[in-house]
Every structure is written in C-alpha cells, then in structure tokens.
Amino acid sequence: MTRIATSLNAARQAAEEEARLREAALNRWTPERLRVSMESKMNGSRLFAVSNREPYEHSYHGNSIACSVPASGLVTALEPVLRACDGIWIAQGTGDADRETADEQGRLRVPPDHPQYTLRRVWLGKGEADGFYFGFANEGLWPLCHIAHTRPVFRAADWEHYRAVNQKFADVLEQEMEAEKEPLVLVQDYHFALLPRLIKERRPDARVALFWHIPWPNPEAFGICPWQAEVLDGMLGADLVGFHIQAHCNNFLETVDYALESRIDWEHFAVNRHEQITKVRPFPISVAFSENGATPASDRPPLTRQWVEEPLYLGLGVDRVDYTKGIPERFRAIERLLDVHPAYSEKLVFLQIGAPSRTRIKRYQDLMTEVEQEAERINRRFRTGAWKPIVFLNQHHSHDAVQQYYREADFCLVTSLHDGMNLVAKEYIAARQDEQGVLILSRFAGASHELADALVVNPYDADELAEAIHRALSMPAEEKRARMRRMRAVVEEHNVYRWAGNLIAELAAIRLQPAQSAAADAGALAHAAGSL
Ligand code: F6P
C-alpha cells in the first residue's frame, strides 16, 4: 500500500509539474507571439517609434567604421519590438560616421548583420542638440523628474531648442507616415513631451502613445518647471501615456489636475481635455530574457584573476555614470563593509562598470571626478599588495562583455537614488541561469516593486547596504537558488515582449473619434488621388 501511495504521489506531482510548465509556456511571451499579436491587433497599421537615442551608432576608428549599441535601457527594451514587426525607428543620428552609413534620407536597415527594421536618423545642428538634449532634456527635465537632489536648470534658450527639435521630429514623422493609414506611434521619453500633440494635430488618425521611461514627481516638484503647462499639454496630445509603475501614473494625474484645466477620470485613469481622452497606465518595462544564452561554466574565463590572485567574491555594478544611480553611495558601502568585516580584505573585488554619459554637462563631469576620487580614496585605505577592493572601469562595455560579468558576480548592486525601472536588475537575473548570485536593489528603483526576492535596501544608508552585501555573501546556496528562481520566474513571465504586447494592445484598442477617422479617410483619398 505504501509503495502504491508513494508512486501515486509521484505521478500526481509529475502531472502537476507538467501542467505548471504547460501553463508557463502558454503564458510566455516570445518574439513570435508578439509578432502574431501585433499583426492581429494592428490591423494592417504600421508601427513608428521615436526616441532621441538611436539603437545603432556608427563611428570612425582611424580609417574604419565601427558600429556600437549605446548603453540605454530604452534601446534594450525597444529593439525586440521593432524587430518583431519590421517597424520604423526615428532617432537622432549621433555617430560621426552615421551619415556615411545611411542613405540621403538618413535611412538604413538594422541590425547591420541581420536587418529586420528601418532606422531613420534625424540630424541636429550643434546648437539644437545642445539646447534640446544637454539643456532642457538633461539639465531641466531629468533632474526635475528624479528626486536625487540635483537642482534643475531652466533656460529659455534651451526651451526654444526643445520646441524646435520636437517640431523637427514631427516633420520627419509626418513624412515617414505619409502613405500609412491609422499608424501606431510609440513616442519615447522626456525628450519628446511636445511631440504627441504635434502629431495629433497633423494626423488625427494616428494612435499615439507616449512612454515615459523615468519617474514622474509630485505636483509641487513638477510645478517649478516654468513651462509645465506646455509640457503637460504636449503630452496630453497622446491617446495613451505610460509609466513604469502606478505611483508615477498617480503623480502625473495629480500634476495635470493641479496645473491644467481638464477633467480627471480617476475611475478609469484618464484625462479629458478639450474633448480628447488620454489614458494613463503602468507598463513595467523589462528585458528579452530568453535571448540571454549562457556560456557553459567551464568556458568562462576567470575574470576576477585580473585583479586578485585568489578571488573569492566578485561584486558588480553596471551603470551609466549618472548621479541618479548612487555610485558613490555603493562605494561607501564597500568601505563600510571592510571596516565592519575586515575578513573580506583581499577576498572581495567590487567591479564597477561605468559608461561615461552626458559628459558635456558639468554635473556629470563633477560626478565622474567624485566617483574616481572615492574609488581611489577607498582603495588607498584598504589596498594590500596587488589587491584593491574597487575596480572602476570607466568605459562602455558591449552587451556580451557585461553578460560574462553578470554570470560571475556573487552579487549585483543596483543602488539608484531614484529610477523609473532599472533594467540592469532584470538583466542580471536573466543572465543567472545557474540560479546563483544575489541582487541587492534600491527600494527607489521601479524594479523593486516586482522583485521582492532581491535584498531591498535604502541606498542612502551605508550601514544597511554594507550589511546587505555581507548577507548576500554569507547566504546559503539553497536560499540564493530559491530567491533567484522566483525572480527569474517573474522576469521570464513579465518580459519585454509582454510589455510591448500590452502597450500596443492598449493603444490599438483606442477608438478614434468619428472626426479622426474621417480625417484618416480624407487623407487616404487624397493620397490615392495623388498617386493616380
Ligand atoms: O532610460 C532613461 C534614459 O534617459 C533613456 O531615455 C536613455 O536612452 C537612457 O536613459 C540613456 O541616456 P542617454 O540617451 O542620455 O545616454
């Protein structure tokens, strides 16, 4: 009887596991599922994405031209979407060999080695780029939206450039969409707050979504922007505005309520302004997950040997060098750890990969100096022989190079002082097919809302952070495995294909007002007449 009961039990468990796997597989979003879903939802419409950052940048290295993928969460997330539907991505051409590698219109097929969609580059003059990108976007809106205690700078000249560049992108988009009826437009981020309204004015039949990749602050904080009404009005040209988390949606609606004449529909999370409805929704962005193939453990080079003969522990940080990422804070946590637990001396290396970012802005130059000096100061305090606790690699690393480090790191530190989502956290999890490694994650990053099995910390508290590192390094393998397994299930299920699928489904389902459809028909007729 006992044997029968045991084997019945085993059979039941196997059946349950099989059902779970089947359900998980059914639930999983893949590039193919996204493609099929988009095909059915888009009903023949074409997808256009607009961002400032381009997915592929060409630059000269001596006489040859190299192509690189910039360090950008937005690029990481959007690329699979464009690949899945052969869309058109409009972005600023920033590489010094970008013109040579595109046609006269600035178009080229990408990815270069396996073309799947079209990139249309837009050229900006130096003054335009300075005022629009470095000025209003990154010295104004970026610090305005991130609570990281860097004061925003608002200059009227920057604002004029910002308006002009939004107009310029609207012109290019209008040209690209000319032959398309009821196109779908995904506007990306705080560089293009004015674009949704500009598009809708020209193409009322377009369905327009604006996805805001960074946080949205409370109304009082946002209210210091001298052009807050214009920014909000531009955004409300969109049919759909997306943020990563519900809290940012709430802040946005409260800001609109506070600053503009409009009706807020709290029940449906929408704004009604001049009879145009804008839905506001959270869409937590993610990574591809399945595309992260692992190198078998035996093939991995022992990376840490570069810095210490017998390394026991490797900690990792991967960021653009930005004051919102909390890089000095994490260095000070390593210092605190070595003060409190000197046994880690000569055993732990913390590797910080820091891609230089926005280096024309003084605050970023100052931060780079601070990061270098903090690393040096801490290394001077603790170094012995060839060993030093902090290795700061101040350069951009390719996706593949970073994967190697993700797979070796015993812990990954994501200590953002404020962050919309933070895709490094999810990339680290996706890379850990061995179900080892510990994620230490700031509670001020949007990712902490989904990844409850990380060690969630306050990055301003050096003691708490140091103790989290100690806990990560002394965590039993089984606990690491259980936590990592649960986090991997979350990221696998909520991957970037689901993000895109949900965003596009919500956008495609928007019903155009009768006047908007009529405009589409008139446009199509005019187009047909033109081509007769
Ligand atoms: O994710 C937020 C974001 O500002 C993206 O818009 C941008 O591509 C990324 O960070 C990197 O910043 P930048 O494009 O200024 O280098």
Side-chain angles (χ1 to χ4, degrees):
M1 284 300 287
T2 313
R3 240 184 297 125
I4 292 171
T6 312
S7 72
L8 273 177
N9 204 18
R12 186 175 50 78
Q13 276 179 10
E16 274 174 10
E17 178 66 1
E18 201 187 309
R20 193 187 63 75
L21 289 175
R22 211 176 322 115
E23 195 180 321
L26 280 179
N27 225 356
R28 195 172 302 133
W29 276 79
T30 60
E32 182 55 15
R33 178 167 171 191
L34 176 63
R35 197 186 56 70
V36 172
S37 158
M38 283 170 71
E39 235 171 59
S40 75
K41 299 264 165 32
M42 286 168 62
N43 203 13
S45 298
R46 192 97 199 257
L47 183 82
F48 295 82
V50 185
S51 72
N52 172 62
R53 186 59 62 198
E54 59 178 340
Y56 295 93
E57 189 179 69
H58 288 93
S59 30
Y60 280 109
H61 288 252
N63 285 335
S64 59
I65 292 179
C67 181
S68 62
V69 177
S72 155
L74 178 155
V75 167
T76 311
L78 215 57
E79 160 97 340
V81 182
L82 273 288
R83 284 187 188 212
C85 70
D86 192 355
I88 298 180
W89 187 334
I90 300 168
Q92 189 193 159
T94 42
D96 58 10
D98 270 359
R99 283 182 197 262
E100 286 77 345
T101 45
D103 68 13
E104 322 78 80
Q105 248 71 50
R107 291 198 194 101
L108 67 157
R109 295 286 291 168
V110 290
D113 50 355
H114 182 38
Q116 283 167 287
Y117 65 95
T118 300
L119 169 62
R120 164 82 195 259
R121 287 171 171 156
V122 179
W123 317 114
L124 300 185
K126 186 173 166 334
E128 268 178 329
D130 282 357
F132 153 75
Y133 172 76
F134 290 108
F136 191 70
N138 283 318
E139 284 192 275
L141 289 178
W142 179 269
L144 181 71
C145 290
H146 289 91
I147 305 164
H149 311 287
T150 286
R151 196 174 166 153
V153 179
F154 296 113
R155 301 180 197 93
D158 291 345
W159 168 243
E160 284 312 318
H161 282 301
Y162 185 85
R163 286 175 40 170
V165 170
N166 272 250
Q167 285 279 359
K168 190 175 215 173
F169 273 77
D171 294 343
V172 173
L173 190 54
E174 191 180 14
Q175 188 191 2
E176 290 292 337
M177 296 192 311
E178 207 183 349
E180 304 293 332
K181 191 171 171 250
E182 299 191 4
L184 257 61
V185 183
L186 295 183
V187 178
Q188 304 299 311
D189 234 346
Y190 60 100
H191 309 90
F192 293 111
L194 308 182
L195 195 52
R197 168 86 50 219
L198 295 172
I199 302 167
K200 272 291 204 194
E201 277 168 6
R202 298 169 190 211
R203 290 292 303 263
D205 66 316
R207 290 182 172 83
V208 181
L210 168 63
F211 191 79
W212 200 261
H213 288 256
I214 62 176
W216 190 277
N218 66 42
E220 290 80 6
F222 196 80
I224 67 168
C225 173
W227 301 284
Q228 72 156 336
E230 288 89 335
V231 168
L232 292 169
D233 181 65
M235 295 173 75
L236 292 175
D239 300 293
L240 177 65
V241 173
F243 295 94
H244 293 298
I245 58 171
Q246 186 64 51
H248 299 155
C249 297
N250 298 353
N251 283 349
F252 177 73
L253 286 177
E254 279 170 15
T255 308
V256 172
D257 202 13
Y258 185 85
L260 289 186
E261 226 168 272
S262 57
R263 266 202 336 271
I264 310 289
D265 177 350
W266 286 102
E267 202 184 327
H268 299 103
F269 272 84
V271 182
N272 186 339
R273 178 167 162 77
H274 306 319
E275 296 314 309
Q276 192 198 332
I277 313 279
T278 303
K279 293 182 174 181
V280 179
R281 298 278 184 279
F283 297 96
I285 208 165
S286 193
V287 294
F289 194 85
S290 52
E291 281 177 4
N292 290 281
T295 317
S298 54
D299 291 354
R300 289 195 226 141
L303 296 169
T304 42
R305 293 269 153 77
Q306 298 171 44
W307 304 297
V308 59
E309 195 47 43
E310 280 305 325
L312 279 182
Y313 306 114
L314 176 67
L316 180 66
V318 181
D319 306 82
R320 287 181 304 103
V321 180
D322 191 295
Y323 52 84
T324 59
K325 303 293 182 186
I327 300 172
E329 283 74 5
R330 74 184 71 153
F331 286 1
R332 290 194 274 274
I334 298 289
E335 176 179 32
R336 190 83 193 114
L337 177 78
L338 289 166
D339 275 331
V340 180
H341 302 283
Y344 289 115
S345 174
E346 297 185 12
K347 296 199 172 64
L348 166 70
V349 170
F350 180 71
L351 169 63
Q352 176 65 50
I353 294 179
S357 180
R358 306 172 189 168
T359 47
R360 299 255 295 282
I361 299 175
K362 180 153 185 318
R363 178 69 183 90
Y364 285 79
Q365 294 162 5
D366 293 347
L367 175 72
M368 184 62 91
T369 310
E370 183 189 352
V371 168
E372 281 165 352
Q373 286 178 349
E374 276 300 79
E376 252 175 61
R377 180 185 66 75
I378 296 164
N379 283 340
R380 253 198 322 273
R381 268 196 71 196
F382 296 99
R383 77 180 332 147
T384 59
W387 174 79
K388 59 180 180 179
I390 298 175
V391 175
F392 176 42
L393 299 184
N394 168 15
Q395 67 210 37
H396 175 51
H397 283 60
S398 72
H399 181 75
D400 285 350
V402 175
Q403 292 298 309
Q404 291 272 329
Y405 291 117
Y406 281 146
R407 287 197 284 269
E408 283 212 13
D410 296 287
F411 64 95
C412 181
L413 274 186
V414 174
T415 55
S416 312
L417 306 182
H418 201 192
D419 217 329
M421 172 56 69
N422 195 292
L423 289 184
V424 168
K426 292 185 173 179
E427 280 176 359
Y428 178 62
I429 290 167
R432 295 315 298 246
Q433 293 188 335
D434 62 353
E435 298 179 340
Q436 287 299 300
V438 179
L439 174 65
I440 300 176
L441 178 59
S442 164
R443 70 162 121 117
F444 308 123
S448 68
H449 291 239
E450 289 173 87
L451 303 174
D453 279 291
L455 299 185
V456 176
V457 292
N458 173 357
Y460 288 93
D461 185 339
D463 287 293
E464 186 190 338
L465 201 39
E467 272 319 299
I469 299 172
H470 176 54
R471 188 168 162 213
L473 293 178
S474 31
M475 190 180 282
E478 254 332 292
E479 183 180 347
K480 283 190 217 171
R481 190 177 305 284
R483 284 172 179 269
M484 191 51 86
R485 188 174 288 170
R486 287 192 292 263
M487 289 195 287
R488 283 176 62 79
V490 170
V491 179
E492 182 172 23
E493 189 177 340
H494 298 271
N495 64 11
V496 72
Y497 304 111
R498 180 183 292 271
W499 172 77
N502 289 345
L503 182 62
I504 286 161
E506 185 91 40
L507 180 63
I510 281 172
R511 291 175 57 170
L512 294 170
Q513 328 256 306
Q516 296 173 325
S517 310
D521 291 340
L525 270 178
H527 183 72
S531 50
L532 276 177

